[in-house]
Amino acid sequence: DCTVVGANTVTLTVTDNNNNVSTCTATVTVEDNVDPVAICQDIIVQLDGTGTAVITPADIDNGSNDACGIASLSIDQDTFTCANSGETVTLTVTDVNGNVSTCTAVVGVEDNVDPTPICQDITVQLDASGNVSIIADDIDNGSFDNCGTVTLSADITDFDCSDVGTNTVVLTVEDSSGNTATCTATVTVEDIVAPIAICQDITVQLDASGNASITTGDIDNGSSDNCAIASLALDITAFTCADVGVNPVVLTVTDVNGNTASCGANVTVEDNVDPVAICQDITVQ
């Protein structure tokens, strides 16, 4: 049997009819020329966080056997990366007597590791029309995946005056295998665009008491802002006889986000009220 593979000394004993005995020896060489039975199985392996998977011969062996015993199992490829998909691997089975047999298995490679999302907070400025847009890359801060390339998307990309302040934006990172992960970033929207102040010159008349007053609406000539105007203010609103003539005034426009602008106008004060003539009779000598 397998335990006596090799040279074996066998003694032949010859006995004649008169019980005379003689012996001789022979060498019986036992050989094992039967190849082992190589049996493979297909497997699927998962890539790790570095994008690598390592297998052993035992992973694809499916019960290979030999009458005398298996000495070793070996494979022609044991390391797989993101670049591999379904690789054919050869298992070599060697028995204790040097006989060799092979079989093949398909090793499927799967990437079930989510990418690593990394977000960063940003501050953006509204434009003159009261709008601003971002792209996913603006809030990405180096997201990565074990297999390299990732696709980025943000749930909010467009902002307007109603978004002034802090806004939470979700960044979704997807790898080439469809695995996804998310992180959040704070997008602070600022309005630093000053309003447009537009003034007009006006002429006012003193009343019978020698006074005149104006409002911001009298001087404003269509001031505007990319978001909205909160208030209008004048440095001078009341005039008297002392102001007859041209008087420079300043209109200050403040928008809803605290930005200001100003313009100047001339207020011409006129006195078109006739005096009150009062006579008295007198006697002279």
Side-chain angles (χ1 to χ4, degrees):
D1 60 22
C2 293
T3 62
V4 291
V5 170
N8 300 269
T9 300
V10 177
T11 300
L12 173 70
T13 301
V14 181
T15 304
D16 66 14
N17 291 330
N18 295 308
N19 291 322
N20 299 303
V21 177
S22 184
T23 64
C24 64
T25 60
T27 299
V28 177
T29 301
V30 178
E31 292 181 345
D32 171 21
N33 293 320
V34 179
D35 291 337
V37 178
I39 306 174
C40 288
Q41 61 182 346
D42 296 337
I43 62 171
I44 296 176
V45 295
Q46 309 295 329
L47 297 174
D48 61 18
T50 65
T52 304
V54 178
I55 66 171
T56 65
D59 293 326
I60 63 171
D61 179 47
N62 195 26
S64 300
N65 58 83
D66 184 75
C68 289
I70 294 175
S72 66
L73 301 173
S74 64
I75 50 179
D76 61 348
Q77 181 178 351
D78 63 1
T79 303
F80 303 87
T81 67
C82 300
N84 301 119
S85 53
E87 302 294 327
T88 300
V89 177
T90 299
L91 173 69
T92 300
V93 182
T94 305
D95 70 13
V96 293
N97 294 307
N99 302 299
V100 176
S101 185
T102 62
C103 61
T104 60
V106 175
V107 177
V109 178
E110 287 185 351
D111 172 23
N112 291 323
V113 178
D114 290 339
T116 301
I118 306 175
C119 286
Q120 62 181 346
D121 298 337
I122 62 171
T123 298
V124 294
Q125 316 294 332
L126 294 175
D127 60 18
S129 65
N131 297 284
V132 66
S133 296
I134 66 170
I135 60 175
D137 291 70
D138 294 329
I139 59 173
D140 179 51
N141 195 26
S143 301
F144 63 92
D145 183 66
N146 59 340
C147 282
T149 304
V150 294
T151 301
L152 306 175
S153 62
D155 64 339
I156 306 173
T157 58
D158 298 317
F159 304 87
D160 57 26
C161 294
S162 65
D163 301 308
V164 170
T166 58
N167 302 268
T168 299
V169 178
V170 177
L171 176 69
T172 299
V173 182
E174 182 175 358
D175 66 15
S176 57
S177 298
N179 303 300
T180 61
T182 62
C183 60
T184 59
T186 297
V187 176
T188 301
V189 177
E190 292 182 343
D191 171 26
I192 60 172
V193 177
I196 299 173
I198 305 174
C199 288
Q200 61 184 344
D201 296 337
I202 63 171
T203 299
V204 296
Q205 310 297 325
L206 294 175
D207 61 17
S209 64
N211 294 288
S213 63
I214 63 173
T215 66
T216 54
D218 296 325
I219 298 298
D220 181 46
N221 193 26
S223 300
S224 62
D225 184 69
N226 60 340
C227 286
I229 293 175
S231 65
L232 301 173
L234 280 171
D235 62 340
I236 306 172
T237 58
F239 302 89
T240 66
C241 295
D243 301 309
V244 170
V246 178
N247 300 269
V249 296
V250 176
L251 176 70
T252 299
V253 182
T254 303
D255 70 13
V256 291
N257 294 307
N259 302 298
T260 62
S262 61
C263 59
N266 290 320
V267 177
T268 301
V269 177
E270 292 182 346
D271 174 18
N272 292 322
V273 178
D274 292 336
V276 178
I278 306 172
C279 289
Q280 62 181 343
D281 296 337
I282 62 170
T283 299
V284 297
Q285 306 297 327

